[in-house]
Structures are given as structure tokens and as C-alpha cells.
Amino acid sequence: MASTPGLRGRRVRSGAGPSSAVDFDQDDDHNSLYSNHSRHRSSIEQFLDSEQASIAMVGVLTALAFALRFYKINNPDEVVFDEVHFGKFASHYIQREYYFDVHPPLAKLLFGLAGWFVGFDGQFQFENIGDSYTENHVPYVGMRALPAILGSLTVPIVYAIMKESGYSTIVAAFSACIVLFDNAHVAQSRLILLDATLIFFMSLTIYSYIRFRKLRYLEFSSEWWTWLIATGVFMACTWASKVNGILTVVAIGIAVLVDLWDILDIRKGHSMEHFWRHFSARATGLILIPLIVYLTTFYIHFAVLNTSGPGDTFMSPAFQETLKGNELLLNSQEIRYFDTVTIRHKNTKVFLHSHWERYPLKYDDGRISSQGQQVTGYGHADTNNEWQIIPTKALPETGRGRVVRYNDVVQLLHVNTQSYLLTHDVASPLMATNQEFTTWPKEDVVSRYNDTLFQLHLIDAYEGEAWKSKSGHFRLVHVPTKVSMWTYVNQLPEWAFKQQEINGNKNAQEKTATWYVDEILSDETGLDPRGRTGEVPAKQPKKMNFFKKFAELQLLMLQHNAGLTASHPYASSPINWPFLLTGISFWTQGEDQKQIYLIGNLVGWWACVVALSIYVGIIGADLLARRRGITPIPEPVRNRLWNNTGFFIVIWAVHYFPFFLMSRQLFIHHYLPSHLASALVAGAVLSFVMSETINYPISIRGPLMDRPRHPQEADLGINGPIVVGLFTLMMFAMFMYIAPLTYGTPGLTGEQVNSKRLLSSWTLHFAAKASGES
Amino acid sequence: MRPAQVAINIGPPSDDNSSSQRTSSDESFEQVHYPTAFATTTANSGHWGPTSSHLHVEELPLHYMSEDKARRRVLKGPGGVGEEYEGDGGVGVVAPEKTSWYHDDGKDVYAKAAAGRPGMHMGPARYRRAPPPPPATFKEFIQQNLEHLPPAIYTLLSCWTRFHKIGKSNLVIWDEAHFGKFGSHYLKREFYFDVHPPLGKMLVGLAGLLSGYDGGFEFKSGAEYPDTVPYVAMRVLMAMFGVAMVPLGWYTAVELGFSRRACHLVALMVLCDVAWLCISRFILLDSMLLFFTFTTVFCLSKFHNQQYQSFSLDWWLWLAMTGFSIGCVTSVKLVGLFVTALVGLYTIEDLWEKFGDLKMSVHDQVKHWTARVVCLIILPILVYMASFKIHFMILNHSGPGDSQMSSLFQANLVGNDFAQNPLDVVYGSKLTLKNMGYGGGLLHSHVQTYPVGSSQQQVTCYHYKDDNNNWLVLPRWDEPAYDPNAPLKYLTDGAVIRLQHTSTTRNLHSHTVAAPITTLNHEVSCYGNSTIGDYHDYWVVEVVDDVKRGRKENFETIHSLTTRLRFKHQVLGCYLRAANALLPQWGFKQVEVSCDKENNPEDVHTYWNVESHWNDRLPAGDAKFYKSPFLRDFIHLNVAMMTSNNALVPDPDKEDILASKPTDWPWLRLGLRMCGWGDHQTKYYLLGTPVIWWGGTASLGVFVIVLGVYLLRWQRKYVDMEPREWDQFLYVGKVAFLGWFLHYFPFMIMGRVTYVHHYLPTLYFSVLMLAHLLDHFIFTSRRLSERTKWISFAVCTTIIVGTFWWFRGMAWGMDGSINDHWGLLWRKSWNIYN
């Protein structure tokens, strides 16, 4: 398989011109005379580059990573920060109750699995930050071990990425140390949070892709395919762990496009047929397989969660009816004319309510009302919530003709005050742009008859569909003015007993103007309507196509993710992240003045920022110099800077800049994937700054390779270990200094807190009095 | 790597060359001639691309091109582009000058053009043409200027469409309510505040002045104009800018190197777009914004065509004009920054090209850079600042916008009573406190309470004068109550006071509750009443310095207006601060006031000064007016504008039927009712001519696809176009696409309320793109016959003019019941009909 394209490649090239002046290949295979060149290297580099040293290095790094991440992992034995959510989701998996969340399910499934594995029964609901685990007998250590293991394994993967990219051992260790001794990574990995899983899979994706790229002279070999598919699978896992994982897909996508563009170049001498083979291989490995993996996680998700739970109400009625024990499934009934019902707003759960009191003639802001009877939203059961459905057409005496259907025009009669629901072109009490809702006495129905007509817009319904209680979500659209009955969380003043305002929204398609019939209280004759259709209440869950379920959930996830705009005291804007200006208070304990504050290692993060700016500087200088016909950087080094480090930069940028466009609430832990990428950049930049040498070429030798390039090896000499050693010491010192905030133990006195507050923008708790208390 | 050929000097076409190529017609001396030597070189090399740098723009042999193509790009008579004009004989006299005109003295600019990589480098869209000889006869004059006939006709047509029945509705239409009012303020010279820069509104004021308006009308929305307001004259003056758009569109198309037919289409589309027409006919800023946007693009394209005559008079002229135009467009509305960005990107690319030109001397490099900095950065800023300077000079009377400015500025306004303020602040004084940060307002409180936090009475910063801004300086609770008859007690540095809100008698208060927006600070509220309170009401007065008297050591008492103060909460040690964070709707979008735990002595947002000061027991002050420096006022006003602009966010609680989302615009999903919709009213509906909007948007998509296809084919080394054609395709494509993108995309990420008229400047670029693609695929195509071109041109023209005629009522006003106007509802989402 590998030979055919190889032959073709050669043939085409020789056809193009035997002594072509253009160098096609940027870095080639390992030179066979590897050892001969080694004697030029310093002995320290030679020693470090040996396999044993490398293995020892990985061993030490991994051991340290496990030690730092597992140290006192049982502390605190309380629910911390978002464990509230993700712990709860794990318990839902164990209880098999349906829940809804904006993130894809893989990481949460793993937590569920971990919980199940260590014997968690799923009874504990992780209600509040600070709830005790030990009192509730939750095997939380086992659940926390999962991210801690994944977080620890990320460190050797970072090392491997750098090593595979052809940097010297000591540089690879440097990048790994930035992640290893990072307080933010440690804090995030020790708790039941999704980020450790996300970052683990993301680093694996990068690793696989680099392995794949290095095999480009052995295209379509089995190894090539293995790493291609591995990239795809890990990429899908990243995406399936947390919704930000989609950024990893974008980053790999950009790299693949650049690669394909290169293959397309006619000077490479490939035929179009060859190009299409490459294209379809990538489409399979990086689109098709990831999609299958991604869908599989959802398939498992739906298969596990087959019982009704807190997430039901997010879903469509059809979806809800597939869940065991769902109320819709059990209690949904067809509604007939003259039934007395209670109507509830889907989002705010208030009942449509009215009472004898009237709107005041004049509001505080000087506007005038109709002084009609108040119509409000009320949160509790009450006889004033009862409405009767009055037909506007002739009905048959009995039978199915009396069922209310989609698009029927109805009147709603408020039972207690015997008046019809009405809206008209009068401004509502709180929103001058919306219409006031009021009622009109039944006796005088003639004068305002038209204004009492409402059309029933059942959502997602077909013509003639019957209106059902519970499952029949609808909008009530006023016939003459086309407003739809709407409410939102805003209380009317004292004169309406602080009940919720109901008004007419001019956007008749408004999504939040959705209502449903909560209960059918009685039919025309005042009898209990249950059982009139003779249906047996014990119904079986219905089936629904997986893809329909998936599409519905995916859409909802996107909508809700964009909707997370509420302000949060620890939310921060992305510009602060690289500089570590703000952290997040995860957990506090008053008695011992303990707290967990998510903040990174100041030395490591600022080093990364410096490295990024140096990189931009180098690239800028290189561009400008080349524009003036000067080539200051040797070609192999330049290739490494542009292609390999450039890839890291793309990963960093793609995981960072999109956040500037997002209006949802953002936290510093969203930067962690970018931080990992910046650690890779930092290594590459350090290597460039210290020495002009790199291991080159690093790609695996293959039949496509044109001709061997002059090889060279990275040699940082004695400086490398010294600089990296010093730097690692500094990072370690900083790590230890901030460690009490990361591990939440030991407790700190006010003065200690003040001294740990390295930047004035960090908002630590229990600070000493000097700058006020909080 | 630079190939050796870079030094190719095109040189002046020698006489023998030109004679040898005189093939097409007797008048062919008008055509540009290329040295035959190069023609042969290029004829052999059939491909081009980044590495084939021995190819260059100027080398194309004439025989390589179709007749039509050759005519299009070469110089003709004065028209320069037109195919129709190659035959006029009057210009024959030009021939002798022409040769010398193309002497470039071997300047590096030509060499650069030769060496530039096709695809990266932009050649001129249209060559400079030789200046014609002075006309000897009238006939000759006509012939020389025949090319200006179509634009002249279009301008006359434009006058007709713009002025036709312009006074039909004698009501205040839509935003005339704002801009007419601002114009009145200029006439009355009262200081007002608005989010837009002043140039456009000053021009409205000027229009009012010219038409004899006295500034006395209030411009209430929907009100009828009284006889004293010459609204027709004012509208006509505003519409002049709209009239000028049409010839500008034409000449821009000419400068962009469009074929004659495409020029006609551009002019027609500018003429026939109902939205442009409609918006130009009222007293609004948009006609000026559009006009200056058009001039900027025009100047830029004009400048682009001067690129081989660097530092010539014309070159300087058009560069400076571009800068001036940028200054004007940004001084009308800040949207002008988008077209500035387009010019910026163009300049960056241009300079990048120059930077890579190793042949250019350092001196020339520096000269190029300096020219850009001076003309495109400094000049626009000067224009922008000058408009503000004039603004301040005209508005020298106190008016509704006073409170947006610093107290010192206000004190300089005629009719302001700050001068009568008693000088020294004493206990028992009633005063208002002004925050000294840029955009700061007056310390304010009102009966509404915080819905979050403590639920106590809100304290905010407010930008308008109001009794709720008044505070009383009172002693602490543990001191004897203020006695109006006791001797005066002066307020000094370090005094601990209580500030009582006069209208609610509550006290300024802070406590350890998080502030609503700046959650890290303490909340500031009003608490208690004139007899109830606690030690959380105590504030320490800290003097910073005095604008007039200098350092705080130099004086003791606190003066109104000039002394800069800080207020420290005695118990919490935090500082009273207001820093442009806006409260949500429940706080009426006023500025949040909080108590900052960090003591940052440099933070001007914690500085306050006493603005108004009333105390009957003190003599009226005779404060000399202190000059308020222009630069400070300028920055102050601009910060205030930004703050208010950002406050124009869509209110989720308030459904605005007029607002639209950027995604609604390209496909014209929504129109906008500009006035009341009653049966007896003249109705105007802001809606574009659908075919122009749809065609423009479609052309943008087509361009992206076509560019992608060309690039893919380029990577496979297919030759689709000659380098020169490719340059032209890319240059116009870049201007149109980037222009469109820069005018459109920012609205997507902007938080503020957007309306359909925000798309109007953007539309221009999609119109250019549409004409460009029609040009590319039809009018300059080699495959299509002249007949096909004529037919397609006729079809385009008919559709545009026909649609315009169909929708003309929207801009000219529709009478009677709207439902009687048949056939206007082309999309269901338009709310034309009731």
C-alpha cells in the first residue's frame, strides 16, 4: 500500500524536472548516521537524550504529578464549587434519572462509572457547596481519583508531545513542569470537574496528530492509519467531554486544511486522484469516526438515563414520553370544551390568575390603565387560577367534536369572577411596549367580543391535533391584535400583591410565551374528567428515534450554553486570564479559615505569556527581515518555529480567542486548555532562545522522502539543565507558596492570607482587616 | 529570492513601437503601447503564480488580449475606460504629450510593479491619462468632456428623485425629532449632549441657519411643522448630500476600473435604491454619513490610481483628501471608523508592499510612511478635533447637556449660575457632587430601592440636573445637630460628615454588602432619615488638591467647583467611587456608585467636586472663571459619548418593534415604519430596493466561492486569467468585500441596539461587489458576444429601474390606507400592511 503512492510521487517529480531548484521537503527522516554526529554534542545532552534518561524523566514527572494531585485528595470532605453540578449528574447516572446539562456526556458518564465502581448509590444530591460527604457516606475519593489520574497522566503526555516534536529532553521536561507545578491544573484535577478529562483528551489529540504528521512519508501505512484514527477518536472524546472541546476540533481542522492545501500544491507533484485519497482518508479519520464516537456517547447517555428526572421539563413532550415515570406520560389527557382547567407558564411555572381587584387608574410613571380587572401570574394553587374553555363555534352534543384542537379560537372564562380573558391596546403596567391583559364581565360579552378571542397555537403540532393537558404546550395568540400571552419574572407592585405581571408580547412567536394546561379540574357537568376516555393510566414509555433525540438535545445544549449569561461574582473576562489577574473562590470553611481558590502558578503563567510574546516577536522580525531579503534564522529552525510551534500557537489561539466573542459567563478555568498549549510554546521558545540547534529531521523515513537533509541534533549544553532547573525550582517554590489555597489546607490567618495575595486583584477570603473584610 | 529581471524598465514607448502596433483603427494612437521586447517574453510563459516572478503586470502584449479587453484597460481619450469613446477624434492632439507622460524616469516604482508577485500586488485599476490640450473650439470642449455627460444626467435624475415632493409630509418624521432638535440647539447655542460626534448636526444647524430657521421649534416626534420652520428648505439641503452620492458612485466605479456598463449599473443602483433615497430626504445624519463614506471610497480609489506617481501633486492631493474624508465621516457618526479601518487595511498592505521593495531607498520608505501617518492619522484626528472645537465654540450657552461635562466647563457657559455659588463649603450647605472621572455624573439618589443586596434606597450617578442630586452637609450623629443660627463651621480636610439626601432625607450610607455590578466593592445606599441613622453614615472628607490653589497644604477651606475631594467611609475605609458601570433597567441605566475597598489615590473615579452650592448664610461667590482646557473637555465628552453609546443595549424587557438584528439586513428581512401609519398620514417605509439588496448579498457569497475556486485552481497551476485581470479582480474584490465585512461584522458583536439604517453604508460595498462580478463574468468576458452583453445589461437595468419604480412610494410617501397599495409585500416579514 505504501509503495504505490511512493512510486507515483517519485515519478511525477522526476517528470517535473530532475534538478529542481526548489526544495520540497522541509524536514526529512532520521539520518542513518545518527551516532556519528553525536560526538559533537555536549556530554550532558548526550546523557539526557539517551532512552534511559528519558524514561527516568517521565518516571519522575509522572510520580510527582500523581503525588501532587493525590495529596490529601480527601480534603475537603465537602462539596466544592461545581461538584454541585457534576457530582449530581454522576448520581443521576447511577439513579438513571434523566437530567439536562449544556455539556456533552462523556466526562460525566466517566464520573458516573467511577461512582458506580466505588459503590456510590446515587442518593446524595450534591445540593450545596459545603455539604459534607462523610456525613452522607459518599465515596467521593473514588470519584475524585478519576480526574486526578487523568490530570496526572496529562503531564507525561505533554512531555511526549515535546519529545516527539524534536525538542531536547530538558526542554520537554520544562514544558511538562509548567503543567506539573501549576496550581490551577492541580486544583482543577483534584475535584469532580470536567476540565481534567477535557485537557487529558486534548493533549492526547495533539500527541496523536503529531505522531500522524511525522508519518507523512509513509502515507497510508498501517501506522499512519492508526495515528490518524487515534487523533479522530481522541478529538471526539475531547468534544464529548465538554462543549469547549469543539475548539480542539477546530484547531486540528485548521492544521489539516493547511496540510491538504500543501498536498494540493502542484509542485508537490501529486495527482488529483492522490489528493482525493488523502482527502477521503482524513474525512474518514477526522470527521466520520469522531462523529460515530460522539454519537455513541450520547447513545449510552440516553440508554442509561431511561427514567424521569429533573431534566424532563427541558425536553419536548414527545421526548418526555420516552422516560419511565414521566408525568406527561402518566397524566396527559385530551381537553374538551367547557372543561375547567388551570394554565401554567412553562418557564416561570406561575398559574394564569385573576381576581376582583382592578388595575390602578394611574401608575407611578404617569401612564393610565384601563382600570380593568387584574390578570396576573400566581405561583400557588388557588381557586382563582381556574379557567373554563368556551368554544366560538357550534359543537356536537357529544363525542370527539368536543375536543379542543390546534388553531381553534377559544374564549377563556375566569370561573370565580365570571369574566372573559381579554387584551387590548393599552400598555401593561410595567412594560409600556406590551399590551395589558384584563377580563371583561360575561354579562356584557357583546361589546368587547372580538377582544376576548384567542387562538390556540400548539407548539410543533399538526393540523387537527388535540390539545392535551401537560404535554400540549401552546401559545395563546390574541386574534385581533396578534399579541401572545406572555409573562416573565417581574413582580407587580403592592396593589397586585407582588404577583407576576402578565402582558401581551407583540412578538407572537416569542419562545418564552409558552404555556400548558396543568390540570383538568372538571368537565362541563362539574365531574372529575379522569377516566372519561377510558384509558388506562399505566402507559409504557414510548420509543423515539435516537437521532431525533440527539438533535433535540444538541440544539437545547447550544441554546442553553449561549443563555448562560447571568452574572457570577467570580466570572472574569478573557483578557485577564493569561495574566492570572483573577481566580475563583471554590470553597471556604469559616472555622479554620480554610479556602480553595483556583489560581495558577504565577511564575509558570507569566513565563508562558512572555514566551508567547517572544514568539510573536520572533515571527514578526522574521517576516520583516525576509521582506527585506534577509534570512536571519537557519532554515530547519525556522521550519520548526513556523510549523511545529505555529501549530501550538494555533491551538492556543483557537482555544482562547473565541471566548472574546462569547457573551456567556466565563471563568478562568476556560483558559486551562490554552494554558497547556502555551506551555508547549514556552518550551519551543526556550529551546530557540537557548540554542539554534534542534533535533532534525524528525519525521519517519519513508519512500516518499526526496533526499536526506543534513541532520542535526539539539544541544543545549550545560545551560539547558541549569536554566530549566532554576526555573523549575522557582515554579516549585511558587507552587508551594500558593499550595494552601490550592489544597484548601491548612487554614490561614488573616495576615497569611494577605501575604498569599500576590496580586491585588485576587479576592481571597479571610483577609486581615487592613483592606476591609468580606 | 529576487530574480534578475526586476530591473526591467518599461520605459517610454518608442515611436516605432507605437507605429508598428497601430492596428485597430486610425485613432489608435490613444492606446498604450508595450515594448515589443517584453511582449515576446511573456507570450512564451503561459503560467504565473507566486514563484513566477519574472512575470509582471506591464508585460502583457496587446495581441494576447481580445480587442475588447485591450480597449478596456488601455488609455483612451479623456474617459480612460470607455469602450464607446475610442472613436472621438478631438483628442488626437494629445498624442505628442502622451509619450512624455509615460516617462517615469526609470523610477523604482515601475521596477517594483514589474517585480511584484501577481496575486499579492495590486496594480492600478485605471491608469492616469494624459491631460488633454486646452480645447480650441467649443466642439472640442464637448468632445473632451463627453465622458462626464452620463454622470451629469444621473445627477439630474438624482436631484429629481431626491427632491421630488420632499415636503409632502409636514410632520416630524422619525429621527428628525432628534437631529432637528440638535440643529435647533446650535441655532440657540445651548449646550446639549448626544452620542454622535457633532459635524453632521452642525451641518443640520447650518442648513437651518441658511434656510432662516430661528431654532425655536421643539421637534416633537410626529408633531406638525409650524410655518416658522422652513423644513422643506432644510430637507432639501440635507438631500443635497444624497444627490451627490450618485455622481460619486459613478466616478468611484470609473476609478475602480469598471467597464462602462458596470459604471452605469453602479450609478443606477445608487440612484434607484429606495432606502438610500428615503433616508436622504429627511433631516437626518445618514445622508451625510453616506456621502462621506462614498467620498472616502472615491478618494481611496483615486489615490490607488496615483500609486506610480508617488509624491506627485495629485498623489498628495488624493492622499490628503482620503484623510480629510475619513475625518469627516467619523465626525458625523462613529460608524465612520469602519471605513477608516478599510483605508487602514489598504494602507497596511500598500506599505507592506513598499517595505518589501528592496530597490526603494530608505529615504523614500520613510517618506511613504510619514505621508501615511500625516495624512491618514494626524489629519483625520485634527478634523475630528476641529469639529469638536467648533462645537464647543458655537455652544457657549447653558443647555440640557451641561451635566455631562465637568463643573469647570459648565461654569464657562453663559447662563450658568455656578459663578454665584458661595465659595467656601460649610456645614449646612446644600450642594451637588460631581464625579471627576471622565464621563462622571452627579451623585444622585431616588426613592427606588435596590432589588438586590440590601434593598435599601439606590444611590447612582446621574447626568442631568434634578432635585434628587442635592445633598446637605451635616454633622455626625454624635455631634450636636446642625443649628442654622450657630456660627459658620467651615468644612476642612479630614472632617467627618454625614451627607443627607434632601428630597428623601436619607443619609448616604455604605455597608459590607456587595455592590450590584462591581461586586467586589461595597454597596452604597441611602438609609434612615433625618433622625435615624448609624455610624455607617459617616464619611471622611479628604482633600486631594485644588485646581486653582494647588496643593492641599496651601489652603484650608473647601471651595466649590475647584477643590478635588475624596470621600472615605469612616468605618469601612472604602472610597466613594463611580466608574461608568451602568445599572440595569431597575436602576434606569444610571451609573453605579460603589465604595471601593482599594485605596488608590490616583483613581480619578474617586474624585469629586462640589458643583452647585447653595447657602443663604454665605455671600454669593465671585469665582473667576477658570479655563477648562479644550483637550480635557474633548476627551471628557468623548468618554461620555462612549458610555452612553454602550448604554444603548437592547433591553430584553422592552421589545422594540423598530430595532432589528444584523442578520435581518442582508436579505432585507425587515423594513422600518418611519412615521405613524394612520390612513390620513403620508407614510414612509424604510426598505431597500429588494433586487439591489438581494443581488448585492448574493454577489458577496459568489465572490467568496469564486475566489476559493480560483485559489484552488491556482494551487494546481491552472491559468484562468492574465495577471492584470487577476489583480483587478482581487483589488476590487478586496475593497468591496472587506468594506462590506468591516461595516457589517462589528454590528454582530456590538451589544447595542441596531436598526436597519445601520446597514446603509454597508450596502454600498455590496453594490460595488455586484457590479464588479457582473463586470467580471459578463461585461469584460471574452467568451460572450457584444450582443449578449448588451442584453444582460439591458435586463439588469430594467430590473433595477422597474423595482425602484414599483417601490418608489416608500420613499416619496404613500397616501391613503396602506392596504390600498397593492403588491408591496414581497416578504412576509415586512410590516407594511396593517
Side-chain angles (χ1 to χ4, degrees), chain B residues 199-200 292 295 323-333 380 383-384:
Chain B
L199 180 66
F292 287 120
T295 51
F324 183 75
S325 188
I326 288 175
C328 289
V329 72
T330 23
S331 309
V332 172
K333 265 191 179 180
V383 172
Y384 186 72

Side-chain angles (χ1 to χ4, degrees), chain B residues 646-687:
Chain B
N646 291 342
L648 294 174
V649 291
D651 187 348
D653 303 348
K654 224 162 149 188
E655 195 70 32
D656 188 348
I657 197 148
L658 297 175
S660 54
K661 288 192 291 292
T663 44
D664 296 336
W665 304 334
W667 298 108
L668 203 60
R669 200 180 81 81
L670 289 173
L672 194 152
R673 292 182 181 185
M674 294 182 78
C675 53
W677 227 236
D679 286 355
H680 305 294
Q681 255 175 315
T682 304
K683 289 167 285 289
Y684 296 96
Y685 193 72
L686 185 66
L687 183 81

Side-chain angles (χ1 to χ4, degrees), chain A residues 245-287:
Chain A
I246 189 87
L247 298 175
T248 309
V249 178
V250 174
I252 296 291
I254 291 174
V256 168
L257 282 183
V258 171
D259 193 17
L260 282 177
W261 181 251
D262 221 33
I263 293 173
L264 193 64
D265 190 345
I266 201 155
R267 285 170 296 158
K268 291 270 177 196
H270 300 308
S271 65
M272 275 314 273
E273 186 198 340
H274 187 74
F275 171 76
W276 287 118
R277 277 186 72 192
H278 270 287
F279 184 86
S280 39
R282 279 163 183 79
T284 315
L286 300 176
I287 298 175

Side-chain angles (χ1 to χ4, degrees), chain A residues 261-267 270-272 275 431 433-434 486 488 490 505-507 510 567-570 623-625 627-629 661 757 760-761 763 769 771-774, chain B residues 2 50-51 117 120 352-360 362 365 512 516 519-520 522 571-572 597-598 652-657 708 711-712 714-718 745 749:
Chain A
W261 181 251
D262 221 33
I263 293 173
L264 193 64
D265 190 345
I266 201 155
R267 285 170 296 158
H270 300 308
S271 65
M272 275 314 273
F275 171 76
M431 288 174 65
T433 50
N434 288 18
W486 182 65
Y488 63 113
N490 202 357
N505 193 314
K506 291 194 173 131
N507 178 7
E510 174 63 43
S567 71
H568 186 283
Y570 291 100
L623 273 177
L624 290 177
R627 195 79 195 140
R628 300 297 296 171
L661 301 179
R757 190 164 165 244
S760 62
S761 49
T763 49
K769 195 69 183 165
S771 55
E773 87 267 42
S774 175
Chain B
R2 291 212 150 267
T51 49
R117 304 191 307 176
M120 290 292 287
W352 181 247
E353 288 292 329
K354 302 245 184 314
F355 186 74
D357 180 6
L358 298 180
K359 290 276 178 292
M360 193 184 282
V362 176
Q365 290 272 6
T512 57
T519 38
L520 299 178
H522 295 310
V571 181
L572 302 175
K597 286 181 255 183
E598 297 297 320
D653 303 348
K654 224 162 149 188
E655 195 70 32
D656 188 348
I657 197 148
L711 280 177
L712 282 174
W714 172 80
Q715 185 78 339
R716 297 302 292 177
K717 297 292 169 289
Y718 290 97
F745 187 70
I749 51 179

